[in-house]
Amino acid sequence: MLKDHNQAADFATILGAAVHDMKNSLWLLLQNINEVSEELGDTPAGRSLADIQYEAQRLNTGLIQLLSLYRNEYDALPVSLEEQFVDELFDDLVEDSRFYAQRHRVELSIDVDSGLTWFMDRTLINVLLQDVVINALRYAHQRVHLTAVVEDNQLLITVRDDGDGYPDDVLAQMASGEPDIRSGRTGLGLYFAQRIAQGHARHNVAGSIQLSNASQQDDNGMPEHGGILTLQLP
């Protein structure tokens, strides 16, 4: 049994090194895409390049998910809780998605109090939200809006788009508490998001993910349709 555990740890080390190397290559690719995009501007070629960037970001997220989920199988998903500025997290998300949003003419806005802080694993939460935001941008018609508020000693981060909303089967999966990873990229992403949220536990309360579809216009002018993902952190 000890041998199996050591073999798992060794494989996790190898996998982590491989993922790190691939992430460096992807980072260079994304940097080159950004440089070329400045020359292309708002052209059909520029929008095609934005789609390439989208796929590269998905691949980057997928690599991190692969490593994290492997570690989670051995109860070794590292969650390091440190106080973080939520507005800075939002600013980074906007900047990372700016190119895709601009090329596809989708407005990405945020609503968060300056100076709001919360204890979280910045790296894991950033990966989780980056995946949510880029997918919201892909399915939105014109707008994606991020908010962060504190209610009942919980940080609530919502990502809302003005698209067609989540399919009924995806809502049913999340309501059951067991996203189906066999259903493709959406199922894997939700499973990963759920594990990260649950890994953020304080005072015997774990984080969670909820999905819903908008039924009314909100105070930020978002229409009465579209998908809403809410990340709750204790």
Side-chain angles (χ1 to χ4, degrees):
M1 187 69 180
L2 179 60
K3 181 180 179 181
D4 291 341
H5 178 77
N6 289 336
Q7 287 177 340
D10 290 341
F11 183 72
T13 300
I14 295 170
L15 184 61
V19 168
H20 181 73
D21 184 59
M22 287 184 281
K23 277 173 53 61
N24 285 340
S25 296
L26 280 172
W27 184 83
L28 291 174
L29 175 62
L30 289 169
Q31 287 295 107
N32 289 333
I33 288 175
N34 288 335
E35 292 175 4
V36 174
S37 70
E38 296 298 330
E39 300 177 8
L40 292 176
D42 189 11
T43 63
R47 287 189 287 277
S48 295
L49 196 61
D51 291 335
I52 295 174
Q53 184 198 46
Y54 167 83
E55 295 299 338
Q57 286 181 332
R58 286 186 63 193
L59 181 57
N60 183 61
T61 300
L63 289 171
I64 298 173
Q65 289 175 346
L66 175 64
L67 178 61
S68 299
L69 291 175
Y70 179 82
R71 288 173 171 168
N72 184 64
E73 284 297 307
Y74 291 91
D75 297 322
L77 180 63
V79 177
S80 177
L81 300 181
E82 296 182 0
E83 189 173 21
Q84 304 289 342
F85 285 96
V86 182
D87 57 338
E88 293 181 358
L89 171 66
F90 276 21
D91 287 342
D92 288 346
L93 289 168
V94 170
E95 181 59 29
D96 289 342
S97 305
R98 177 179 58 85
F99 174 54
Y100 185 89
Q102 288 179 343
R103 293 300 179 268
H104 287 273
R105 298 182 176 89
V106 177
E107 178 188 352
L108 178 57
S109 57
I110 61 176
D111 183 10
V112 56
D113 289 339
S114 177
L116 173 63
T117 63
W118 206 257
F119 282 86
M120 68 179 74
D121 187 309
R122 172 67 177 266
T123 300
L124 288 176
I125 294 299
N126 184 73
V127 171
L128 186 163
L129 291 175
Q130 188 177 64
D131 193 41
V132 173
V133 169
I134 198 67
N135 278 289
L137 287 170
R138 183 175 188 180
Y139 292 106
H141 296 318
Q142 293 181 309
R143 288 189 64 191
V144 172
H145 188 68
L146 281 69
T147 63
V149 296
V150 177
E151 294 182 2
D152 298 326
N153 296 318
Q154 306 270 324
L155 176 67
L156 302 181
I157 295 177
T158 62
V159 180
R160 177 169 177 168
D161 64 65
D162 65 350
D164 298 328
Y166 292 105
D168 291 339
D169 62 323
V170 173
L171 293 175
Q173 285 182 35
M174 289 303 293
S176 70
E178 291 295 333
D180 185 2
I181 61 176
R182 296 169 300 179
S183 64
R185 185 68 178 83
T186 299
L188 178 61
L190 291 174
Y191 179 83
F192 178 69
Q194 186 181 66
R195 289 295 176 267
I196 290 179
Q198 292 173 346
H200 284 70
R202 298 178 66 196
H203 310 301
N204 296 319
V205 178
S208 64
I209 294 285
Q210 290 93 36
L211 298 185
S212 61
N213 286 331
S215 59
Q216 61 184 10
Q217 187 173 11
D218 70 1
D219 295 337
N220 297 294
M222 294 295 289
E224 53 186 35
H225 58 81
I228 305 173
L229 181 142
T230 302
L231 168 64
Q232 181 173 314
L233 298 178

